[in-house]
Amino acid sequence: MLPALWRGSGVLQEARTGIRSQFLTLPLTHCLTLDKSLLSDTHLSRYSSIPELEKATVHMKNPDHVQRVISALRKEGTDKLQVISDFDMTLSRFGFNGRRCPTSHNILDNSRVISEEGRKKLQDLLHYYYPIEIDPNRTMEEKRPLMVEWWTKAHDLLLEQKILKSDIAKIVRESEVMLRDGANTFFDQLHQHNIPLFIFSAGVGDVLEEVLRQAEIFHPNINVVSNYMDFDDKGVLRRFKGPLIHTYNKNNSVLEKTEHFQLLSSRPNIILLGDSLGDLSMADGVPNVENVLRVGFLNDKVDERRGKYRDAYDIVLEKDETLDVVNGILCYILGALN
């Protein structure tokens, strides 16, 4: 197995076993062999080319549609392919050993640079607004103004803390952030085949980038649109740059005037990765889209939200802290190059 990011001694680390460097000398058709004990018992032969799709965590409302889209992505090739992904709880882990892993906002909220009073206020906001964010019985129209309210209040509290730009790297190193198992494989495959990875995050861009940098996977094929901090001449946080990005406005209304939108427009085939129903709009507005494969990570309140996720995403991964399925699909698509 490839080494996963793990927590140890308060520092974000990668297991240094030598396996990673050995793997990178092999062609990418040497995909990882999936442990058959993780597979469900039904129709194994149906997905013989992508056995990861038979994991017990995988749920599909329309398997035939999934097969058609994946086949089209493989046939069209990598020149037309891009990956659009959320970051927090999609590329990063939701939990580990029964404990929640921090989002890019939480990394700041829980850090030593936040006062005890500030941390309590940020926790109070989380406990009030997070249940609203994931409430399956509220519409997105109801949620949007409340998400703006939450993000604005949280950012205002962070501004009060006088966070230093020079502290960001240490804050990340001391945090308990973890990427999903298989993250190295995912990022490296895309990089080696020049497939753009567009990360569209409602988190904190400066923190997100630092997580990738410390994991040594912040490759040139990656573009990030997120909430970025603006520091004064002394390196003190003075504001957040606009526009504000929250869970339910991740669409072309934020992107259309950016250079990123032009990049997105050049590749009509998309693998979209998200963990909320708001992430489904990340590819909205991309012109001339031909094929989109939507993969959703259902991390929390699974029983309550399962129906809506299966209706919205082509593939739903329930409480799956790995990128096994995504890597398996990529391996199949890239196999057409050999």
Side-chain angles (χ1 to χ4, degrees):
M1 294 176 62
L2 287 180
L5 293 176
W6 59 287
R7 291 288 311 145
S9 305
V11 180
L12 185 69
Q13 300 185 46
E14 183 181 340
R16 301 296 182 185
T17 62
I19 299 176
R20 185 174 192 275
S21 58
Q22 178 184 10
F23 174 81
L24 293 179
T25 66
L26 300 173
L28 283 172
T29 48
H30 280 260
C31 295
L32 302 180
T33 301
L34 188 69
D35 183 351
K36 293 298 190 295
S37 67
L38 300 177
L39 306 183
S40 63
D41 295 329
T42 59
H43 310 304
L44 183 61
S45 61
R46 180 179 186 134
Y47 301 107
S48 57
S49 297
I50 312 176
E52 292 86 353
L53 287 175
E54 285 294 336
K55 285 184 68 176
T57 57
V58 175
H59 301 273
M60 292 175 278
K61 185 175 182 178
N62 189 343
D64 291 334
H65 171 74
V66 171
Q67 281 191 309
R68 285 194 297 270
V69 174
I70 293 175
S71 296
L73 296 178
R74 176 182 167 105
K75 181 179 179 181
E76 293 286 326
T78 58
D79 289 343
K80 292 186 176 182
L81 179 64
Q82 63 178 307
V83 177
I84 302 177
S85 182
D86 172 50
F87 183 77
D88 292 315
M89 299 183 287
T90 296
L91 298 179
S92 67
R93 290 182 66 122
F94 177 81
F96 181 70
N97 283 346
R99 294 183 59 185
R100 285 287 300 272
C101 291
T103 65
S104 52
H105 271 107
N106 299 151
I107 289 171
L108 288 175
D109 299 351
N110 301 334
S111 71
R112 60 182 175 78
V113 304
I114 306 299
S115 67
E116 184 175 344
E117 180 184 4
R119 189 176 297 115
K120 182 182 184 304
K121 288 180 178 178
L122 288 163
Q123 282 293 317
D124 288 344
L125 290 177
L126 175 67
H127 292 153
Y128 178 77
Y129 286 104
Y130 177 67
I132 296 173
E133 179 187 7
I134 66 170
D135 186 347
N137 298 314
R138 290 183 185 241
T139 66
M140 289 192 191
E141 287 70 26
E142 291 178 277
K143 293 179 181 183
R144 285 190 187 102
L146 295 170
M147 294 302 101
V148 171
E149 193 173 278
W150 181 12
W151 261 248
T152 301
K153 288 179 179 179
H155 287 179
D156 287 346
L157 283 170
L158 291 174
L159 292 177
E160 294 176 5
Q161 305 302 309
K162 307 298 182 185
I163 296 169
L164 297 175
K165 184 176 184 179
S166 58
D167 282 341
I168 299 299
K170 187 174 183 181
I171 289 170
V172 171
R173 278 196 300 272
E174 293 177 347
S175 76
E176 296 185 347
V177 64
M178 297 179 71
L179 296 176
R180 288 187 186 270
D181 294 350
N184 288 328
T185 306
F186 172 75
F187 282 91
D188 290 342
Q189 285 193 90
L190 296 178
H191 177 224
Q192 290 182 30
H193 287 277
N194 298 312
I195 299 171
L197 170 59
F198 179 76
I199 298 176
F200 199 171
S201 172
V204 182
D206 310 76
V207 174
L208 183 166
E209 288 191 5
E210 186 60 30
V211 171
L212 298 181
R213 196 173 290 114
Q214 291 186 20
E216 300 179 4
I217 51 176
F218 194 14
H219 300 308
N221 65 310
I222 297 173
N223 285 282
V224 180
V225 167
S226 187
N227 297 299
Y228 280 90
M229 296 184 279
D230 187 29
F231 300 90
D232 64 20
D233 293 341
K234 295 182 180 180
V236 179
L237 176 64
R238 62 180 180 181
R239 67 183 181 95
F240 279 82
K241 301 174 184 178
L244 176 70
I245 302 173
H246 59 78
T247 308
Y248 295 109
N249 74 336
K250 296 163 74 171
N251 52 48
N252 62 316
S253 67
V254 175
L255 288 178
E256 57 189 356
K257 295 182 180 179
T258 70
E259 61 184 75
H260 301 286
F261 190 71
Q262 296 303 315
L263 176 63
L264 291 174
S265 302
S266 65
R267 295 189 177 231
N269 294 330
I270 299 168
I271 297 175
L272 184 148
L273 310 176
D275 77 297
S276 82
L277 296 179
D279 291 329
L280 290 159
S281 65
M282 293 190 296
D284 286 3
V286 177
N288 305 315
V289 170
E290 295 177 7
N291 301 285
V292 182
L293 181 70
R294 297 172 177 86
V295 181
F297 291 86
L298 181 49
N299 301 305
D300 196 16
K301 307 293 183 184
V302 172
D303 292 337
E304 298 171 27
R305 301 196 290 164
R306 177 180 291 118
K308 289 193 174 182
Y309 271 64
R310 291 189 185 183
D311 287 341
Y313 282 100
D314 301 312
I315 299 172
V316 177
L317 305 175
E318 294 187 2
K319 291 189 174 294
D320 187 334
E321 295 288 358
T322 78
L323 287 169
D324 288 347
V325 171
V326 178
N327 286 335
I329 292 169
L330 280 172
C331 186
Y332 175 74
I333 293 170
L334 297 175
L337 300 176
N338 297 277

